[in-house]
Amino acid sequence: ARRQREIERDLRAAIADGALMLHYQPQYRLRDHALVGFEALLRWHHPERGMVSPLDFIPLAEESGLIIPIGPWVMATACRQLKKWEAINTRESWQLAVNVSARQFQQPSFVDEVRDIVTATAINPCHLKIELTESLVLDDIERTIHTMQQLKQLGIHFSMDDFGTGQSSLSNLKRLPLAQLKIDQS
């Protein structure tokens, strides 16, 4: 419990100091191994502990509500990087996937925040893919579909991450505007 409190305290300081960073993991098309884009991964380099595992700080950020200020920063930072790639001829069609937490997605202001970031960064929204976990999607399917439809109208695509860990039925999956399913490694 003490370690958790220390990490939470340090995470608050990291947010305030701008010590979080994004790394970009390449994504390849299976059939021809062509690079099609990247997934933005949140990372934290602690000044004393070094790299803190996302498994240690992301669940804590979710529980404590710190994910609420982190989420828009991640989205905006990722979209600024996407805009840089769009300006390069060989990279203009790359997609960038951004994981969105359940708490962030369920915020009443989420659609407006994403719309504002897309507008401010002037990205092509067709190149942005929001990744949601299967458990988030199933939590309130009607609300999830409504939010996804609003964002899809902007041109944003969706991916379901960790598929196979929940109890998704095919009838529910067919109702979701998903472009991609990412099968859980287990």
Side-chain angles (χ1 to χ4, degrees):
R2 192 173 101 210
R3 176 168 158 65
Q4 291 289 82
R5 283 195 314 273
E6 288 172 0
I7 292 174
E8 182 179 340
R9 181 198 66 223
D10 291 351
L11 183 56
R12 286 181 191 281
I15 294 167
D17 297 342
L20 299 176
M21 64 188 90
L22 291 184
H23 289 193
Y24 298 96
Q25 178 177 303
Q27 294 185 327
Y28 296 92
R29 189 171 41 234
L30 189 59
R31 72 175 175 268
D32 60 0
H33 305 288
L35 181 63
V36 294
F38 289 85
E39 179 178 354
L41 303 173
L42 182 62
R43 296 295 182 255
W44 175 23
H45 187 269
H46 190 281
E48 294 154 11
R49 292 187 178 103
M51 292 301 288
V52 179
S53 170
L55 297 173
D56 289 337
F57 77 88
I58 290 178
L60 179 65
E62 288 262 0
E63 286 175 29
S64 66
L66 291 173
I67 201 70
I68 301 304
I70 293 172
W73 175 84
V74 168
M75 184 68 70
T77 302
C79 287
R80 283 191 297 274
Q81 179 60 56
L82 181 58
K83 185 63 179 175
K84 290 176 186 175
W85 288 331
E86 287 178 346
I88 300 170
N89 285 342
T90 58
R91 301 175 184 179
E92 73 275 358
S93 65
W94 284 358
Q95 283 199 324
L96 182 58
V98 178
N99 290 287
V100 172
S101 78
R103 277 186 95 161
Q104 181 185 2
F105 187 81
Q106 294 163 351
Q107 291 294 307
S109 61
F110 180 68
V111 172
D112 291 333
E113 285 176 1
V114 172
R115 183 183 297 117
D116 291 349
I117 290 168
V118 166
T119 301
T121 57
I123 64 161
N124 180 340
C126 294
H127 296 153
L128 179 61
K129 186 186 305 174
I130 292 178
E131 290 197 1
L132 307 171
T133 61
E134 183 178 12
S135 58
L136 179 154
V137 169
L138 296 176
D139 189 41
D140 184 348
I141 190 106
E142 296 306 324
R143 184 175 172 189
T144 299
I145 290 169
H146 178 71
T147 302
M148 289 174 78
Q149 290 293 356
Q150 289 179 299
L151 292 166
K152 186 177 181 186
Q153 288 175 354
L154 299 175
I156 295 169
H157 296 276
F158 292 92
S159 174
M160 182 185 289
D161 203 6
D162 299 332
F163 179 72
T165 59
Q167 300 297 318
S168 290
S169 69
L170 288 178
S171 61
N172 279 340
L173 280 179
K174 289 185 342 187
R175 296 174 58 205
L176 298 167
L178 293 170
Q180 180 183 43
L181 286 177
K182 291 174 69 177
I183 309 299
D184 184 70
Q185 65 182 348
S186 66

